[in-house]
Amino acid sequence: MTAAATDASPQQAGRLGLLSQVGYGAGQVAGQVFRDVPSLLLLFFMTTVLGIEPALAGAAIFVPKLVWGVGCDMLVGILSDRWKQRFHRRWWLLAGVIGSPAAFLLLFHVPMDLSTQGRVAYVAGAFSLYMAVFASFSVPYLAIAGELSDDPHQRTILMSWRLVFTAAGVLVGGALAPGVVQYLGGGQPGYEGMARVLAVICPLSLLIAFFGAGRASRQAGRAPAVATGDRLTARAALAVLAHPRFSVLLTSNLLQLTGSGMAYAAMLYFLTYNMGQGAGALQLIGGLIMVACAGIIVAQPMWVALARKVGKKPVYVASAIGYALTYIIWSVNAGAGTGVAYGLCFIAAIFNSGWALLSFSMMSDIAGEDRAHAGLYSAAWIAVDKIGFALGGTLLVGIVLSSFGFDVARSMAGLPQEPRALTGVMLAFGVLPGLFNLTAAALYARFGRH
């Protein structure tokens, strides 16, 4: 990242001081934890602890994400646009402060005396509430970014801070959370203890963002929005979202997130069975997440500089290709050892941070230039994020694992899987995610425009 002015220095138009950038970015810890923990752990929890078949477990996660997640995203986006003249979008973050503890506690405190069907229904219901809480703060939080500066490069810097806190959120959701599960002995008690820890971290993150966004808004000198009296119809909303500049970027992002969701959800299976780590997979994944976070953070100055020098589109396309190839190589080299896994994880994180940064930056450019629909753009973006991660990280992974004969009974007994099941894990972890990201890169290279 480039150096930012301090809060005490005179501000250029659209310039935000360091404390304002950091304060806003801190909210991404909660956003990332809410996004990643179900993607990384919920399917594994349902199959290895609750004893639910992968395809059924994946459907129980995917349907609430599709129905409640997307529906609540669009509702919050429209309402935050409609009510922005009454109160700043940052006030929506308080809904997350209040609701996030209950969402985590209910999701992983599953009554074990229920039947299999009862457990599936309970998780689906708890996850529906979880997605409603997620929407209440994630959509307004993203929309705020496009409203804080008129400078596209300044938005890239702001998004780079968001990526730094993305790394912190990944560390919490991908390293701390599995570590707590393992420390508490695994099983149901381990996951319940993890939920209690996250129920404290997420509201603190959102409180910091609430005050940080207020400081940033005052510093940017934004006047309260003026009520226009216009009501956006469904047809008008679709017309806004269908504009090629946004729709091509959104479609490319959907493909990338579907692939990334598959890789993330299949990682514990890949480490446990293909790499032969067994119970040590929870410890190994913590180390890999720490390496990935380091890659995300150290890469930010490079991506910001490259985007300014050569443009956002080519950097976005190149980083998506690099990410795809790295995961394909990793998936077909499971026996190469943990040292190679750490190295490939670091490289993949660098490329991942590139396309994530530039996609968010280009979206915030669009929202910043059309502030009347900033909430709508953000709602669609967050909805696609949830759809992609749910489609890839639960439904597709569950279908692939079940199709290739993944044995739940063997997994609950701590036994290895058959070679055919290992092939399914390999495809779900690296090959299919790589193909999704290569397709996204080709689509945006051909049709995208910034």
Side-chain angles (χ1 to χ4, degrees):
M1 283 170 291
T2 59
T6 64
D7 283 337
S9 63
Q11 297 296 315
Q12 301 173 9
R15 291 284 294 178
L16 300 175
L18 180 60
L19 291 179
S20 297
Q21 295 176 26
V22 172
Y24 168 78
Q28 183 58 22
V29 173
Q32 199 67 28
V33 169
F34 256 76
R35 177 182 187 258
D36 286 359
V37 167
S39 300
L40 179 65
L41 296 176
L42 189 54
L43 184 67
F44 195 77
F45 168 69
M46 293 179 72
T47 55
T48 63
V49 176
L50 302 183
I52 301 169
E53 288 294 325
L56 180 58
I61 301 170
F62 176 72
V63 172
K65 267 198 174 184
L66 182 65
V67 177
W68 282 95
V70 174
C72 291
D73 285 339
M74 300 309 295
L75 177 62
V76 171
I78 292 172
L79 290 179
S80 71
D81 278 342
R82 185 175 297 173
W83 295 344
K84 62 182 180 293
Q85 72 276 4
R86 301 181 188 176
F87 54 86
H88 193 273
R89 293 185 205 269
R90 73 188 182 100
W91 289 94
W92 286 87
L93 303 184
L94 295 182
V97 173
I98 297 169
S100 57
F104 266 111
L105 293 175
L106 288 172
L107 184 60
F108 287 100
H109 284 70
V110 182
M112 297 302 289
D113 56 349
L114 295 176
S115 65
T116 299
Q117 293 79 6
R119 294 176 189 177
V120 171
Y122 177 90
V123 172
F127 198 50
S128 296
L129 173 64
Y130 184 98
M131 296 310 298
V133 172
F134 192 12
S136 70
F137 71 85
S138 60
V139 172
Y141 176 74
L142 180 58
I144 291 169
E147 298 174 335
L148 293 180
S149 178
D150 297 320
D151 181 359
H153 181 63
Q154 179 68 21
R155 294 193 192 111
T156 302
I157 295 174
L158 189 62
M159 287 298 102
S160 71
W161 274 109
R162 189 176 185 272
L163 261 292
V164 168
F165 283 99
T166 291
V170 169
L171 190 63
V172 172
L176 177 63
V180 171
V181 173
Q182 186 179 40
Y183 177 77
L184 295 177
Q188 181 76 2
Y191 284 93
E192 290 178 353
M194 173 204 71
R196 290 192 291 269
V197 172
L198 299 182
V200 174
I201 293 174
C202 289
L204 288 176
S205 164
L206 293 171
L207 267 181
I208 294 172
F210 173 77
F211 291 109
R215 182 187 187 99
S217 182
R218 291 190 298 272
Q219 189 176 65
R222 297 299 187 197
V226 177
T228 62
D230 295 335
R231 292 295 182 94
L232 192 65
T233 65
R235 179 176 294 181
L238 290 175
V240 170
L241 298 178
H243 191 281
R245 185 184 178 193
F246 182 73
S247 61
V248 174
L249 179 63
L250 189 69
T251 304
S252 298
N253 193 52
L254 173 62
L255 291 169
Q256 288 180 298
L257 291 169
T258 301
S260 298
M262 291 191 73
Y264 211 57
M267 180 175 285
L268 265 176
Y269 295 96
F270 184 78
L271 301 180
T272 301
Y273 302 108
N274 294 55
M275 291 187 62
Q277 294 297 308
L282 285 170
Q283 181 177 354
L284 177 58
I285 200 169
L288 291 172
I289 293 298
M290 292 179 68
V291 167
C293 291
I296 292 171
I297 293 171
V298 302
Q300 292 310 295
M302 177 186 71
W303 295 127
V304 171
L306 281 175
R308 189 169 198 175
K309 183 175 182 179
V310 304
K312 297 183 181 183
K313 177 179 176 177
V315 176
Y316 171 80
V317 172
S319 56
I321 293 172
Y323 175 84
L325 296 179
T326 304
Y327 261 93
I328 292 173
I329 292 170
W330 190 357
S331 68
V332 299
N333 287 279
T338 57
V340 172
Y342 277 115
L344 290 173
C345 184
F346 183 77
I347 295 170
I350 290 176
F351 285 122
N352 186 2
S353 70
W355 64 255
L357 168 64
L358 273 302
S359 63
F360 275 119
S361 181
M362 290 188 288
M363 193 286 296
S364 68
D365 287 343
I366 297 170
E369 294 164 11
D370 182 11
R371 290 188 189 128
H373 302 122
L376 178 63
Y377 289 126
S378 298
W381 194 264
I382 295 294
V384 161
D385 184 294
K386 293 173 183 175
I387 292 171
F389 247 59
L391 178 62
T394 55
L395 190 64
L396 292 183
V397 169
I399 290 173
V400 170
L401 294 186
S402 290
S403 298
F404 279 80
F406 184 86
D407 193 325
V408 171
R410 293 178 69 88
S411 71
M412 294 183 71
L415 299 175
Q417 295 289 323
E418 297 294 332
R420 183 165 172 263
L422 297 182
T423 300
V425 174
M426 178 195 70
L427 293 173
F429 173 69
V431 176
L432 293 176
L435 293 177
F436 273 113
N437 276 268
L438 289 174
T439 303
L443 175 66
Y444 199 73
R446 176 65 179 85
F447 299 106
R449 53 194 179 92
H450 180 253

